[in-house]
């Protein structure tokens, strides 16, 4: 019988000589300390100090390593730019660290690709080269503490530790009470990313103007032809969402200066409240005239300064009793009670996606079809699990069952219904119609049912909280643990490991989150007799796991 042994963190020399000898704990700590100092200087409006600290950060070896790590571990790591270069080996990553210098840097044009939108149109994406992505990630480390400190309190898109659920919950806070505002201005910015003024960005964004100007004017390649960029930030660049956020920040302060801050006498008269997620926003008001004649002109002037316009067709004013769609959910009052449900459009898109998966996989095995459907259904149900969605979940399960029954009947047109049911639909618990299949390895796979998703109210983030303010350190740790406990139902072993390690990877001592991902490492390898018991397992970041094996552990 094998002996379980304690996990020992390998020691690294102070002077790294390759990618797998880097001490990530020290690197993360150095960058974090500088970011906290940048945020503190920003809060005190010491802009010269901010500039000096940013310069120190982007020149540091630690920040360059973290920038390369980010672009070689995210979802776009296998997508090359116009030069076709990828950094997929430890050697190429190590060399890349020393290429991140401002002197002589010239970004290459973006590779233009298109992705389909829900309305049938196509959204243009610009894919930078690996070097340009890493440079953007490097300067983002210096810019994000500033953007987080100066951001609108009720801005929730493309910000760390914030989500659509926070934005929806803030809408509930603003609209749910008996005496809350009755009218809502639904704002839609026409081509936000494509039209932001370059002059405004260069004047107002606290970042190296020379490097920022090069990114904005880099152009893009399409059909072998170089096209110039005169406005906008490229959708696809790592730094673009933060630039867009900073361009739109400030509207909340403008509204407060005219209509009063929340919970003041002036705000009680107008009930003007603002919620934004990326370039989608809503503004509440006590009357339609107030929103039409006072609020909307203010918003238009604010946007015009940044080279932006509101879309006349999509910017509408709606009464709460009629309801409106925001971030894939419908908010509407029924007899003075606000209910938030999945929107019809969002539901229709899900069913269309499920149908396309089922109809385009008529000959695959049941287990393969389940493997394709489960992530789609699970992701959609988790997105809506904080709102009034039980009835919609039941309807989705019924429609999915109908599609699968038709798929089964087509495969076995000459078989009786009882035979088909016995082959594909098993009894699991109290459910008699659980779609099931057996993999090649002999494992049973079952289709998940959205109705099994537990509906639980989301706890909104504090509006003032930022991850670069040390006063909120404990608050964010509590939120992280609560989120893990909610999402790890049914994965007890993973949750126990995470809690045992105090939320951290023992290699780099940084937080393990759903965004960073994780690998489960066996202290004594299974081929040497190691077991799957908790005492023989440790949870590591994917990069730390590779580093461990590369050093012979």
């Amino acid at each position: 019988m094998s002996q379980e042994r304690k996990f020992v963190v390998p020691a690294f020399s102070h002077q790294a000589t390759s990618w797998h000898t880097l001490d990530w704990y020290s690197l993360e700590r150095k960058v974090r300390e500088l970011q906290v100092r940048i945020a503190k200087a920003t809060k005190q409006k010491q802009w010269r100090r901010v500039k000096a600290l940013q310069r120190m950060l982007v020149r540091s070896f630690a920040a360059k390593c973290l920038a390369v790590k980010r672009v070689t571990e995210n979802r776009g790591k296998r997508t090359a730019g116009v030069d076709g270069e990828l950094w997929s080996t430890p050697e190429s990553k190590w060399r890349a660290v020393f290429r991140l210098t401002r002197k002589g840097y010239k970004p290459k044009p973006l590779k233009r690709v298109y992705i389909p939108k829900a309305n049938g149109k196509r959204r243009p994406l610009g894919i930078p080269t690996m070097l340009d992505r890493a440079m953007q990630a490097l300067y983002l480390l210096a810019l994000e503490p500033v953007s987080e400190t100066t951001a609108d309190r009720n801005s929730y898109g493309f910000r760390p530790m914030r989500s659509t659920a926070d934005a929806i919950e803030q809408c509930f806070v603003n609209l749910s009470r008996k005496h809350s505002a009755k009218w809502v201005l639904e704002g839609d910015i026409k081509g936000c990313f494509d039209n932001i003024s370059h002059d405004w960005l260069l004047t107002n964004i606290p970042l190296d103007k020379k490097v920022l100007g090069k990114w904005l004017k880099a152009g893009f390649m399409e059909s072998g032809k170089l096209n110039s960029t005169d406005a906008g930030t490229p959708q696809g660049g790592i730094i673009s969402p933060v630039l867009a956020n900073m361009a739109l920040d400030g509207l909340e302060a403008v509204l407060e200066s005219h209509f009063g801050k929340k919970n003041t006498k002036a705000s009680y008269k107008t009930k003007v409240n603002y919620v934004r997620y990326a370039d989608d926003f809503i503004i509440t008001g006590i009357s339609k005239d107030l929103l039409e004649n006072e609020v909307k002109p203010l918003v238009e002037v604010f946007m015009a300064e940044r080279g932006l316009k509101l879309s006349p067709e999509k910017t509408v004013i709606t009464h709460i009793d009629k309801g409106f769609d925001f971030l894939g959910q419908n908010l509407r009052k029924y007899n003075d009670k606000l209910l938030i449900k999945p929107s019809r459009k969002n539901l229709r898109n899900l069913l269309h996606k499920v149908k396309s998966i089922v109809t385009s996989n008529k000959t695959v095995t049941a287990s393969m079809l389940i493997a394709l459907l489960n992530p789609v259904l699970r992701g959609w149900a988790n997105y809506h699990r904080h709102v009034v969605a039980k009835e919609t979940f039941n309807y989705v399960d019924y429609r999915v069952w109908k599609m699968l029954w038709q798929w089964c009947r087509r495969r076995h047109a000459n078989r009786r219904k009882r035979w088909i049911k016995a082959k594909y639909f098993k009894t699991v618990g109290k459910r008699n119609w659980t779609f099931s299949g057996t993999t090649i390895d002999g494992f049973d796979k079952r289709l998940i049912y959205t109705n099994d998703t537990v509906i639980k109210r989301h706890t909104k983030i504090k509006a003032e909280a930022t991850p670069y303010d040390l006063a909120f350190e404990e608050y964010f740790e509590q939120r992280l643990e609560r989120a893990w406990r909610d999402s790890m139902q049914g994965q007890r072993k993973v949750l126990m490991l995470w809690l045992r390690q105090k939320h951290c990877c023992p290699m780099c001592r940084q937080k393990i989150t759903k965004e960073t991902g994780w690998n489960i490492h066996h202290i004594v390898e299974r081929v040497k007799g190691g077991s799957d018991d908790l005492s023989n397992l440790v949870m590591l970041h994917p990069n730390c796991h590779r580093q461990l094996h590369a050093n012979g552990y």
Side-chain angles (χ1 to χ4, degrees):
M1 185 179 285
S2 66
Q3 191 92 22
E4 311 288 14
R5 70 172 187 260
K6 188 177 179 183
F7 178 72
V8 179
V9 179
F12 297 105
S13 62
H14 292 291
Q15 189 65 41
T17 56
S18 66
W19 182 256
H20 284 314
T21 58
L22 289 167
D23 183 354
W24 290 107
Y25 173 67
S26 299
L27 300 176
E28 293 265 9
R29 190 171 175 180
K30 286 175 185 175
V31 171
R32 177 73 177 171
E33 285 173 355
L34 278 172
Q35 287 180 317
V36 170
R37 289 171 66 189
I38 291 170
K40 185 178 179 181
T42 303
K43 201 171 184 179
Q44 297 170 348
K45 295 187 173 10
Q46 298 178 350
W47 298 112
R48 290 181 66 181
R49 183 168 176 76
V50 168
K51 189 175 180 180
L53 289 168
Q54 285 182 324
R55 191 186 303 117
M56 191 186 303
L57 179 60
V58 298
R59 290 178 178 179
S60 71
F61 176 74
K64 292 176 181 180
C65 291
L66 291 183
V68 173
K69 182 184 178 187
R70 174 170 179 173
V71 300
T72 54
E73 289 188 3
N74 61 15
R75 287 195 295 178
K77 63 185 177 183
R78 294 187 182 91
T79 306
V82 292
D83 59 359
E85 184 182 14
L86 290 175
W87 299 340
S88 54
T89 63
E91 292 75 24
S92 60
K93 294 174 189 178
W94 178 249
R95 288 193 299 269
V97 172
F98 301 96
R99 293 172 60 188
L100 302 185
T101 56
R102 181 179 183 273
K103 188 176 180 180
Y105 170 64
K106 186 179 179 182
K108 288 185 169 62
L110 306 169
K111 183 168 77 173
R112 174 60 60 91
V113 296
Y114 293 89
I115 58 172
K117 293 171 71 174
N119 59 7
K121 295 181 180 178
R122 297 191 304 165
R123 175 181 282 114
L125 279 186
I127 301 176
T129 63
M130 291 296 290
L131 178 62
D132 294 335
R133 269 179 260 176
M135 284 292 284
Q136 288 188 22
L138 175 62
Y139 278 85
L140 180 59
L141 289 170
L143 181 62
E144 196 169 67
V146 180
S147 68
E148 280 297 297
T149 307
T150 59
D152 287 343
R153 294 191 313 279
N154 289 306
S155 161
Y156 297 97
F158 300 125
R159 292 183 62 188
M161 315 300 286
R162 297 189 177 217
S163 65
T164 52
D166 292 308
I168 292 293
E169 191 62 27
Q170 183 61 37
C171 293
F172 182 85
V173 170
N174 293 340
L175 294 164
S176 61
R177 296 180 180 86
K178 187 177 180 181
H179 300 292
S180 295
K182 303 290 184 186
W183 292 89
V184 178
L185 169 68
E186 302 171 61
D188 186 273
I189 303 169
K190 199 171 184 178
C192 177
F193 279 86
D194 299 327
N195 296 312
I196 298 175
S197 166
H198 284 179
D199 291 336
W200 189 93
L201 290 172
L202 289 168
T203 305
N204 294 279
I205 301 297
L207 194 67
D208 189 313
K209 309 297 181 190
K210 191 174 180 181
V211 175
L212 179 58
K214 287 179 179 179
W215 286 334
L216 295 175
K217 302 295 183 185
F220 63 91
M221 295 292 293
E222 187 174 14
S223 303
K225 183 183 175 184
L226 177 63
N227 299 273
S228 62
T229 46
D230 302 316
T233 61
Q235 294 189 58
I238 286 178
I239 206 168
S240 295
V242 175
L243 295 178
N245 258 344
M246 295 186 78
L248 297 175
D249 282 333
L251 181 54
E252 190 168 30
V254 170
L255 294 171
E256 286 178 351
S257 66
H258 283 79
F259 304 105
K261 287 191 175 182
K262 196 171 183 181
N263 298 328
T264 61
K265 285 185 178 180
S267 70
Y268 284 133
K269 291 179 181 177
T270 57
K271 296 178 182 174
V272 171
N273 292 298
Y274 170 76
V275 180
R276 177 169 68 83
Y277 187 91
D279 58 342
D280 294 325
F281 66 90
I282 66 153
I283 303 173
T284 66
I286 201 166
S287 69
K288 186 175 182 179
D289 287 341
L290 175 77
L291 293 175
E292 185 71 55
N293 300 321
E294 295 185 48
V295 173
K296 192 176 176 184
L298 279 175
V299 175
E300 288 173 339
V301 170
F302 177 87
M303 296 297 172
E305 291 173 0
R306 290 148 176 78
L308 301 171
K309 291 180 181 178
L310 294 178
S311 171
E313 305 83 23
K314 296 180 182 178
T315 302
V316 293
I317 298 171
T318 313
H319 195 278
I320 192 62
D321 289 345
K322 187 181 176 185
F324 65 97
D325 290 350
F326 186 56
L327 303 178
Q329 295 177 343
N330 180 262
L331 296 88
R332 182 179 173 184
K333 270 193 173 178
Y334 301 82
N335 298 322
D336 271 344
K337 185 175 180 64
L338 182 70
L339 296 182
I340 306 174
K341 305 177 181 180
S343 69
R344 289 187 179 182
K345 183 180 177 183
N346 187 270
L347 173 61
R348 191 165 56 245
N349 289 342
L350 170 77
L351 294 176
H352 177 75
K353 188 171 185 178
V354 170
K355 186 176 182 179
S356 66
I357 291 172
V358 173
T359 54
S360 59
N361 290 280
K362 293 174 180 176
T363 58
V364 301
T365 62
S367 63
M368 289 177 68
L369 184 60
I370 291 169
L372 293 170
L373 289 174
N374 272 355
V376 174
L377 295 171
R378 185 184 292 110
W380 183 85
N382 284 338
Y383 182 83
H384 294 290
R385 73 186 187 275
H386 303 300
V387 299
V388 185
K390 209 66 177 176
E391 188 178 327
T392 310
F393 287 171
N394 281 330
Y395 178 69
V396 167
D397 289 344
Y398 165 70
R399 288 290 302 272
V400 171
W401 174 83
K402 283 195 75 173
M403 293 178 204
L404 292 174
W405 182 249
Q406 191 176 4
W407 180 85
C408 296
R409 291 289 305 276
R410 181 193 169 277
R411 289 166 72 92
H412 306 284
N414 299 323
R415 292 284 189 174
R416 292 178 179 272
K417 294 178 182 178
R418 285 174 182 263
W419 184 92
I420 295 172
K421 179 186 181 300
K423 180 173 175 61
Y424 291 105
F425 295 91
K426 311 298 182 186
T427 299
V428 178
K430 295 181 180 180
R431 182 176 281 119
N432 296 324
W433 288 79
T434 301
F435 187 66
S436 307
T438 305
T439 64
I440 299 172
D441 302 328
F443 293 103
D444 288 334
K445 285 189 80 72
R446 298 168 184 164
L447 184 76
I448 68 158
Y449 285 83
T450 58
N451 192 40
D452 292 338
T453 304
V454 178
I455 303 291
K456 187 176 181 182
R457 182 81 172 268
H458 177 71
T459 304
K460 193 186 84 68
I461 192 171
K462 290 181 181 177
E464 304 81 16
T466 74
Y468 299 104
D469 189 337
L470 295 178
F472 290 103
E473 187 79 17
E474 187 178 347
Y475 170 73
F476 280 116
E477 285 184 359
Q478 291 170 354
R479 282 187 65 85
L480 179 63
E481 183 166 331
R482 191 187 307 125
W484 265 69
R485 286 184 184 276
D486 290 344
S487 64
M488 286 294 160
Q489 301 296 332
Q491 298 186 53
R492 184 175 173 275
K493 188 173 280 190
V494 174
L495 180 61
M496 291 296 291
L497 272 176
W498 186 73
L499 291 173
R500 188 181 74 184
Q501 295 174 195
K502 297 182 180 178
H503 319 162
C504 293
C505 168
M507 286 277 291
C508 66
R509 286 175 273 181
Q510 297 301 312
K511 289 280 186 287
I512 295 177
T513 67
K514 284 179 279 188
E515 287 73 29
T516 63
W518 66 85
N519 289 158
I520 304 298
H521 172 71
H522 287 75
I523 300 170
V524 177
E525 298 93 325
R526 276 180 292 187
V527 294
K528 294 181 181 178
S531 70
D532 287 330
D533 293 338
L534 279 173
S535 57
N536 192 46
L537 300 177
V538 65
M539 184 185 281
L540 304 172
H541 286 132
N543 186 69
C544 296
H545 196 204
R546 287 192 292 270
Q547 186 179 27
L548 190 71
H549 285 297
N551 286 282
Y553 289 90

